[in-house]
Amino acid sequence: MSEWLTWVRDVATQEPAALVSVLASEGSAPRGAGTRMLVSADRLFGTIGGGQLEHRAIEQAHAILALPPGSWRVQDYPLGPLLGQCCGGRVRVLIEHLDPAALDWLADAAEERVLVSALHSGRIKRHVSTQAAPTLLSARGDRPREGMTFAEIIGQRRRPLYLFGAGHVGQAIARHVQQLPFRLAWFDTRPLFETIDGVAIVPEDAIAQCVAEAPDAAAMLILTHDHALDYLLTSAALRRPPIAFVGLIGSLTKRARFHSRLERDGLPDTARARLTCPIGVAGVAGKEPDVIAIAALAQLLQLERP
């Protein structure tokens, strides 16, 4: 996760180079915040996910290399139209022509330290901190602009968390996940939730494809407004190659009903055994959305780190 520091040290100090940094993502994005690649005139280091997204970003990186060192811009990419993904989403990236004279912060950069970036006209000032709190940036709304400062933990690995359902519990999970080592991909089928930051609205007849697009390291929480939709997503999650966690909100009775139906639908015992229902660490009582959210996230934090 911090190999980009090596690229900057070895390449950007020797030849013109542009750094492409994912600031935020939403929906079924190939990479999350903190992902980087370095682009020189004829070389490429790292990836932000490949395909058209990466192709467009490389074009922008080459364009910014024609501008003075220190130049930067923030670019948004809608993933549905760009990549042909039914699950949509968007990625916001920072593209900068690195200034070799402004890389003194590299001497202090290390895993788990916090990198603070301040956007100025024609330059980005950075320093490394051990105390600054990381900043959660959004992939929608106003882009970061001159005068803004944000912070990130260097080298922090974030497990993709695919969250289905934007009701009260889903919103509570999204609130509490912000400072945890997860990269949220959040989906709902109801247009009334499209104004909530981070929610990708996907038609019901296409939402199972979002399950298929999840990486193997993903944890999945299913808590929609409809039992039939819960079943559709649960079945899709258990039929695909195994992921790190498949959790379904509900009672032991709901679990028994789903297991019985999955068995009738031909799902083998080994696949059904991967379902966790109810979700949350044992012994936590309470039906309040925040209680459920914290218990579920605590359970995911017990997973082996990706």
Side-chain angles (χ1 to χ4, degrees):
M1 287 294 289
S2 58
E3 63 216 350
W4 64 275
L5 296 172
T6 302
W7 309 333
V8 173
R9 288 190 185 100
D10 294 348
V11 180
T13 56
Q14 304 299 318
E15 62 181 288
L19 185 64
V20 180
S21 306
V22 177
L23 296 178
S25 64
E26 180 178 293
S28 188
R31 298 289 190 277
T35 305
R36 286 179 166 87
M37 67 179 181
L38 191 75
V39 182
S40 68
D42 56 4
R43 293 194 290 171
L44 176 66
F45 302 84
T47 178
I48 61 168
Q52 281 297 310
L53 169 64
E54 186 161 294
H55 177 71
R56 301 283 182 89
I58 292 171
E59 285 184 339
Q60 291 292 323
H62 284 149
I64 212 165
L65 286 175
L67 302 178
S71 300
W72 59 273
R73 63 180 57 144
V74 176
Q75 190 73 39
D76 290 341
Y77 296 100
L79 297 180
L82 187 66
L83 302 183
Q85 289 181 342
C86 67
C87 295
R90 50 179 68 87
V91 172
R92 175 165 285 175
V93 300
L94 171 67
I95 304 168
E96 57 183 301
H97 184 171
L98 291 171
D99 183 356
L103 297 177
D104 54 319
W105 55 270
L106 279 171
D108 299 319
E111 295 271 353
E112 302 302 324
R113 291 192 177 181
V114 178
L115 179 64
V116 181
S117 303
L119 305 179
H120 297 272
S121 177
R123 62 195 174 108
I124 299 177
K125 294 182 65 176
R126 290 190 168 97
H127 71 273
V128 176
S129 170
T130 58
Q131 297 181 335
T135 307
L136 181 71
L137 298 177
S138 175
R140 65 170 77 180
D142 293 339
R143 298 177 185 175
R145 55 185 181 272
E146 182 181 336
M148 180 175 179
T149 298
F150 56 90
E152 61 183 293
I153 299 175
I154 298 174
Q156 184 179 48
R157 293 185 179 275
R158 293 181 175 270
R159 183 185 299 280
L161 172 55
Y162 274 56
L163 176 62
F164 292 90
H168 295 304
V169 176
Q171 292 177 41
I173 289 172
R175 283 196 303 273
H176 292 290
V177 81
Q178 293 181 5
Q179 301 300 334
L180 300 177
F182 297 102
R183 173 169 65 85
L184 184 64
W186 192 9
F187 308 94
D188 203 292
T189 59
R190 296 166 290 179
L192 68 95
F193 290 116
E194 64 186 354
T195 58
I196 297 179
D197 192 7
V199 179
I201 303 301
V202 182
E204 188 168 326
D205 61 0
I207 198 167
Q209 182 60 31
C210 302
V211 175
E213 291 175 1
D216 292 346
M220 194 168 292
L221 293 176
I222 299 167
L223 33 96
T224 79
H225 62 291
D226 180 73
H227 277 218
L229 184 55
D230 280 352
Y231 182 79
L232 172 70
L233 294 168
T234 300
S235 179
L238 297 178
R239 291 180 186 279
R240 56 151 289 162
I243 56 177
F245 184 89
V246 179
L248 170 68
I249 196 169
S251 63
L252 291 173
T253 300
K254 181 176 181 179
R255 172 188 170 88
R257 287 203 305 268
F258 272 45
H259 266 264
S260 178
R261 183 175 174 186
L262 290 166
E263 184 178 15
R264 292 198 305 272
D265 288 345
L267 202 69
D269 293 347
T270 52
R272 298 198 308 275
R274 300 204 310 268
L275 176 62
T276 297
C277 178
I279 55 173
V281 293
V284 177
K287 301 296 185 182
E288 297 84 358
D290 287 287
V291 172
I292 297 171
I294 291 170
L297 290 170
Q299 187 175 39
L300 297 184
L301 287 170
Q302 294 176 338
L303 298 174
E304 183 177 346
R305 295 188 68 176

